[in-house]
Amino acid sequence: MLMPFLSAKDPAASSEGTLDPLGLYQIADALAVKLVPGIRERMKHPRFLTLTAVSLAVCGGFDDDTLAKDGVSEPWQVFEWHVVEGLVRSIKEKDQLRGLPGNDKVSRSIQDGAPVSARRYLKTPSVFGFHGVYRLLARTLKIDMNGRLGEGGYRLLSIWSEEQDLAGFGEMSSGKGADVLKIWKDAVRDSLAKGAVARSGAWQGWQLIARHLSPHNAGPAEKRALSDLILSHEKGYTRELAEFMISAAGSAIVQQIRAIDEKDSVWSERPFHKALRKVAGADLRELLDAITAYETFARLLQDAFEDCLHEMTRHRGKTPVEILADCQNVKNAAERIPMEYGQTMDRLEPVGELARFQQAFAPLADKGSPRDWVVRLLEHHRRVQMNKPPNGKLPWFDRFDDGSCIIRQSYVRDKGGRGDDSYVHTYRLNSLWSFALDMGML
């Protein structure tokens, strides 16, 4: 499956700059945000929204500036350690842990007999832990309002606690829910003081976490509440996409996309958007047209660049620019990009992405020979890398005074561009499909 050129694996100190070599992702992401606000590709299980609401209740009594003994971990982070450890300790079916951020790190800590701590957890938990992954959506849906339970959070917490037979959870009252809340809150308090999880493997709280917070065990009422929250957002087109996706026609297309991805590792939402456009309203059609035009433009650039990388790999030495210019996808892009550039501008203007598109790609729009155009493509890549924060990144190849290139070893390719009409980027369909499965919509 071809995901956006964005990965958690790029080390912060890397001078190579392995992400988004042509600067295509930013506009694609902006279009996806307009289409489905708050949802990101990393999101797979909507019950993490419930876990976020529970976490806000557990950590609500701590001061805003509270930190663990390590000086960096906030209460929500400490509770996340406990949730992940409880699930890893209690759930034996590995499939049930799929999609749980941090489970590998926590598993190793348990095997080593060491308490989970910031040092033994994810390097950037505020981004890659379940709080970090789902925080944007939680805030979009008013579950999390500046670190406090919002209207959506209170509603979700109420339904969850009633369905889980945890009366009193999150309230100043007695009951089974209040008892569970105290068990979890005390664990967070003690672990803040220690700077690491302060509970042994025999702690009763682990089983309570597995019983009530497993990402795959939401009850019917909770699933309906999650579905209502996600589909009721007033911005974007989440409801329209979801309703078409779960229809007979829409689900059949998604199944075809998934089958192609499984067989050929090609994930493209173009056929889904094409079918959706036929039943969409005017505003959604306008956005889908912008996405389709941009992805056509992006595919031409991406394929030409991949052809260049493959040709450099094949030569295993200095590759003359004339050789790169003779690549099929380079010749195709040199011929088509000037026309596609204008059409893409027309489609992006109504959705507010014209200026960013022109600023990024105008130098590639001029007509010229394949040789002239590929030189501009190579320069475009160099400029994209140079402008990456904080201090720029190295290009994927070295260039010499005569224009020839040698690819860096990390970027060798055993094949060139696809030369098809598949999307370069993803537009949240995979996340919505996973959400729909979890919520019983399919």
Side-chain angles (χ1 to χ4, degrees):
M1 173 177 171
L2 181 63
M3 302 299 288
F5 285 94
L6 189 67
S7 167
K9 297 181 181 179
D10 189 40
S14 170
S15 63
E16 295 290 334
T18 59
L19 314 182
D20 194 20
L22 298 176
L24 290 164
Y25 178 75
Q26 191 175 33
I27 291 176
D29 186 58
L31 294 171
V33 169
K34 296 175 193 296
L35 188 66
V36 190
I39 295 179
R40 293 291 183 264
E41 294 297 335
R42 294 181 184 273
M43 299 177 184
K44 294 296 180 286
H45 302 298
R47 205 187 191 204
F48 282 115
L49 296 171
T50 302
L51 271 62
T52 299
V54 171
S55 177
L56 290 166
V58 171
C59 301
F62 296 100
D63 294 336
D64 291 342
D65 58 353
T66 298
L67 290 176
K69 184 180 180 180
D70 60 20
V72 296
S73 301
E74 299 178 56
W76 64 264
Q77 182 59 76
V78 174
F79 184 62
E80 181 171 302
W81 298 343
H82 287 78
V83 171
V84 178
E85 182 166 350
L87 296 173
V88 170
R89 284 185 178 276
S90 306
I91 297 176
K92 304 308 179 186
E93 301 83 3
K94 294 303 181 183
D95 283 351
Q96 294 294 304
L97 295 176
R98 189 175 299 156
L100 174 62
N103 82 83
D104 290 336
K105 292 278 191 180
V106 170
S107 295
R108 282 195 287 273
S109 283
I110 295 172
Q111 291 168 7
D112 294 343
V116 179
S117 63
R119 186 176 64 84
R120 297 193 65 99
Y121 196 57
L122 298 165
K123 289 185 177 179
T124 316
S126 61
V127 176
F128 300 118
F130 75 77
H131 281 92
V133 172
Y134 289 86
R135 182 171 285 123
L136 175 61
L137 184 56
R139 290 176 175 173
T140 299
L141 302 179
K142 299 182 180 178
I143 293 169
D144 178 348
M145 297 289 286
N146 298 317
R148 296 286 186 270
L149 278 167
E151 179 184 346
Y154 277 113
R155 185 163 69 252
L156 187 55
L157 190 69
S158 175
I159 292 170
W160 168 83
S161 59
E162 180 178 352
E163 192 165 47
Q164 295 291 319
D165 192 24
L166 293 177
F169 192 97
E171 302 172 0
M172 298 298 292
S173 62
S174 59
K176 184 178 177 181
D179 294 340
V180 171
L181 177 62
K182 184 178 186 305
I183 290 170
W184 290 344
K185 189 180 287 287
D186 287 347
V188 171
R189 183 178 293 108
D190 293 346
S191 299
L192 284 165
K194 182 179 178 180
V197 169
R199 292 295 184 267
S200 71
W203 180 51
Q204 63 174 321
W206 302 133
Q207 286 295 329
L208 292 171
I209 286 169
R211 185 181 310 143
H212 300 296
L213 298 179
S214 172
H216 301 277
N217 288 346
E222 184 187 340
K223 288 179 180 179
R224 287 193 297 272
L226 287 167
S227 177
D228 289 345
L229 275 171
I230 292 169
L231 298 184
S232 65
H233 186 53
E234 65 273 14
K235 294 182 179 179
Y237 305 93
T238 306
R239 178 178 292 277
E240 289 90 331
L241 260 70
E243 288 179 346
F244 180 68
M245 182 185 68
I246 65 175
S247 70
S251 61
I253 295 171
V254 177
Q255 294 286 14
Q256 292 170 7
I257 292 172
R258 289 167 61 85
I260 293 171
D261 179 44
E262 184 174 347
K263 178 177 179 290
D264 301 324
S265 297
V266 177
W267 177 273
S268 174
E269 294 166 40
R270 184 182 292 272
F272 181 80
H273 288 171
K274 182 179 179 180
L276 173 61
R277 189 188 185 283
K278 297 176 181 178
V279 297
D283 290 345
L284 178 53
R285 285 201 305 272
E286 190 172 67
L287 180 55
L288 292 174
D289 288 345
I291 291 171
T292 299
Y294 183 69
E295 286 300 320
T296 298
F297 179 88
R299 172 52 61 197
L300 289 168
L301 253 62
Q302 188 64 42
D303 282 351
F305 189 66
E306 292 290 335
D307 268 17
C308 289
L309 296 178
H310 178 236
E311 200 62 36
M312 292 179 206
T313 301
R314 211 169 58 82
H315 271 71
R316 299 187 178 277
K318 290 177 66 174
T319 306
V321 70
E322 288 78 12
I323 297 295
L324 302 180
D326 198 44
C327 294
Q328 183 56 50
N329 284 318
V330 169
K331 292 188 287 187
N332 189 36
E335 179 182 351
R336 291 183 57 191
I337 281 291
M339 177 184 66
E340 296 292 345
Y341 179 83
Q343 293 181 356
T344 305
M345 283 199 305
D346 291 341
R347 297 301 187 185
L348 289 178
E349 183 175 18
V351 299
E353 292 299 325
L354 175 59
R356 181 155 43 183
F357 178 71
Q358 289 177 309
Q359 183 178 6
F361 302 109
L364 297 170
D366 294 337
K367 292 182 179 180
S369 68
R371 186 191 187 285
D372 291 341
W373 188 86
V374 78
V375 169
R376 280 184 269 138
L377 177 66
L378 300 177
E379 173 59 21
H380 172 79
H381 167 68
R382 186 199 67 80
R383 187 169 57 252
V384 167
Q385 295 294 94
M386 181 182 66
N387 289 331
K388 287 180 178 178
N391 301 309
K393 304 292 182 181
L394 292 174
W396 289 15
F397 43 79
D398 291 316
R399 293 184 68 190
F400 299 90
D401 291 343
D402 61 0
S404 61
C405 305
I406 293 181
I407 192 168
R408 296 178 183 274
Q409 186 59 36
S410 298
Y411 308 107
V412 297
R413 293 291 190 273
D414 59 4
K415 57 183 179 181
R418 292 177 185 158
D420 58 18
D421 67 350
S422 61
Y423 281 8
V424 173
H425 306 95
T426 53
Y427 288 86
R428 318 307 193 238
L429 180 61
N430 198 36
S431 295
L432 281 176
W433 182 261
S434 183
F435 277 21
L437 289 171
D438 276 14
M439 294 184 295
M441 298 171 65
L442 290 163

